[in-house]
Amino acid sequence: MRAYHVAAPGARAALQTLPRPEPAAGEILVRIEACGLNFADLLMLDGTYQETPEPPFTLGMEVAGTVEAAGPGVTAPAPGTRVAVFCGHGGLAEYGCFPAARAVALPDAMDAVTAAAFQVAYGTSHVALAHRARLAPGERLLVLGAAGGVGLTAVEIGRAMGAEVIACARGAEKLEVARRAGAHHLIPADPERLRAEVRALGGADVVYDPVGGELFEAAFRACRPEARLLPIGFASGEVPRIKANHLLVKNLTVMGVYWGGYMAFRPEVVRESLAELMRWHGEGRLAPHVSHVLPLDRVEEGLALLRERRSTGKVVIRPD
C-alpha cells in the first residue's frame, strides 16, 4: 500500500510503498477513503506536536473508510461498516489499523470526505464552546481564524447555539466564507481594528482562538467582564503571554482546550459531543466546508495550503 511516511528519526516524510498492516487485538483494519489534514500534522512533521510518535510512523490524524477486518476480541464495528476514526496518526495511507474503540459508525447520509473533515474540527469547537465555555444564547462570541479548519466550525456552532458571532479572518474572501457560515459581524485580521471594532460592539463574552500572537492580545483587551478565552492553537507561531493582573481586573477566565486529550481521561465527553454533532448534521444544521480534495500523491500540496493559510475550512486527501 502507499503511505505518506516518516521512516526514521530526522528523515523527511515521503510517499512510500509499505506492507498492508494486519489488525492486532482490539484493532480494526480500515480501507481508507479520505483523510482530513490538520494544522497538527504540520507540527508533527516539525516534531513540535505534543503527541508526535517516534518514527517510523505515517502521518494523518482522522480518517473515514470501510472496515475490512477485525482483530482478536473485536465484535464491532463489523467488516463492511463505514466508519470515521480519530487515529492520531496513520491516516495518510490506503489502509490503516486503528483501535476499534475510536471508530464511529457513519450515517448513510454522510460521505467519506465530509466524515474525514468532521471529527477534529467540529469536535474541538463543540467541546470548547459547549463543554468548556458554556456558551449561552445571546452571548457575543469572537472567533479568530474564522475561515480555517476549526475556526469556521466555531462560527457555525456558535450560531447554532444562539450566540452573536464576530468573525475575524484575513481578506475579503475568507470573511465571506465566515459570513456564509453564519457570522453576524466581520472584522479583518488587524489587531488595532479588531480591538476597536469588538469594543464598539460591546465586547466579547467568549473568545475562540486558534491563532495566538497579536490577535489574542487584541481580543483579550476587547473582552467584557467575566469573559472566557479559549486558546485552541497557535497558527501564528507565537504563544501569547497572559497577564494575570488583567485577568484579575476583569474577572476573566482562560480555558485551554485540547480535544484529543479527552480521549485519555474523559472519553465520554468526546462520544457525547460527536453524537450530538452527528444529530445536528443529520438535521441539516451543519454544512461542513472543504475547500480542497486532493489525491494522496499531492499530499504535500495539501499541507502547503495549510502552512501558507491558502485554504478555507478543511483540506481532505483521498488515497484512492
Side-chain angles (χ1 to χ4, degrees), residues 51 86 102 258-271:
E51 292 189 2
F86 172 67
R102 290 197 173 194
Y258 172 40
W259 180 78
Y262 280 98
M263 295 289 191
F265 69 94
R266 286 197 65 189
E268 73 278 6
V269 171
V270 173
R271 287 197 300 268

Side-chain angles (χ1 to χ4, degrees), residues 168-226:
C168 176
R170 287 184 173 187
E173 181 180 350
K174 291 188 175 183
L175 287 171
E176 173 58 21
V177 170
R179 185 195 65 77
R180 292 199 300 267
H184 299 88
H185 310 283
L186 308 175
I187 301 177
D190 172 82
E192 292 301 320
R193 284 192 63 177
L194 177 66
R195 180 181 177 186
E197 294 185 28
V198 173
R199 280 183 164 182
L201 289 168
D205 295 296
V206 175
V207 175
Y208 181 100
D209 178 23
V211 178
E214 292 182 338
L215 289 177
F216 178 91
E217 178 69 21
F220 189 99
R221 293 178 176 274
C223 282
R224 300 181 66 192
E226 295 193 326

Side-chain angles (χ1 to χ4, degrees), residues 25 40 73 138 194 203-204 215 300 303 309:
L194 177 66
L215 289 177
E300 293 188 355
L303 292 167
R309 303 189 202 179

Side-chain angles (χ1 to χ4, degrees), residues 11-28:
R12 182 177 180 274
L15 197 59
Q16 300 178 24
T17 300
L18 303 175
R20 196 176 88 168
E22 295 294 331
E27 291 185 338
I28 52 174

Side-chain angles (χ1 to χ4, degrees), residues 92-313:
L92 284 170
E94 293 174 321
Y95 292 88
C97 288
F98 311 117
R102 290 197 173 194
V104 178
L106 294 179
D108 292 340
M110 184 177 283
D111 63 84
V113 168
T114 298
F118 196 84
Q119 289 189 96
V120 173
Y122 280 99
T124 295
S125 293
H126 187 258
V127 167
L129 298 176
H131 177 71
R132 295 290 281 148
R134 307 290 183 186
L135 179 68
E139 287 194 305
R140 192 171 294 116
L141 168 66
L142 169 59
V143 180
L144 308 183
V150 291
L152 195 60
T153 64
V155 171
E156 200 173 359
I157 289 172
R159 179 68 180 254
M161 293 177 68
E164 179 185 347
V165 182
I166 308 169
C168 176
R170 287 184 173 187
E173 181 180 350
K174 291 188 175 183
L175 287 171
E176 173 58 21
V177 170
R179 185 195 65 77
R180 292 199 300 267
H184 299 88
H185 310 283
L186 308 175
I187 301 177
D190 172 82
E192 292 301 320
R193 284 192 63 177
L194 177 66
R195 180 181 177 186
E197 294 185 28
V198 173
R199 280 183 164 182
L201 289 168
D205 295 296
V206 175
V207 175
Y208 181 100
D209 178 23
V211 178
E214 292 182 338
L215 289 177
F216 178 91
E217 178 69 21
F220 189 99
R221 293 178 176 274
C223 282
R224 300 181 66 192
E226 295 193 326
R228 291 88 77 202
L229 297 100
L230 300 161
I232 305 297
F234 313 104
S236 68
E238 182 181 345
V239 178
R241 295 179 180 273
I242 298 169
K243 296 179 179 179
N245 58 323
H246 290 184
L247 293 176
L248 181 152
V249 170
K250 282 191 174 182
N251 292 286
L252 303 180
T253 302
V254 179
M255 302 175 173
V257 181
Y258 172 40
W259 180 78
Y262 280 98
M263 295 289 191
F265 69 94
R266 286 197 65 189
E268 73 278 6
V269 171
V270 173
R271 287 197 300 268
E272 292 166 7
S273 171
L274 285 175
E276 182 163 12
L277 289 167
M278 289 289 186
R279 285 195 298 271
W280 287 7
H281 180 268
E283 294 165 0
R285 298 174 65 185
L286 303 176
H289 176 78
V290 177
S291 64
H292 296 79
V293 179
L294 301 171
L296 187 57
D297 57 9
R298 293 172 63 187
V299 63
E300 293 188 355
E301 179 183 335
L303 292 167
L305 289 168
L306 297 189
R307 185 180 295 108
E308 297 161 13
R309 303 189 202 179
R310 291 187 285 117
S311 59
T312 55

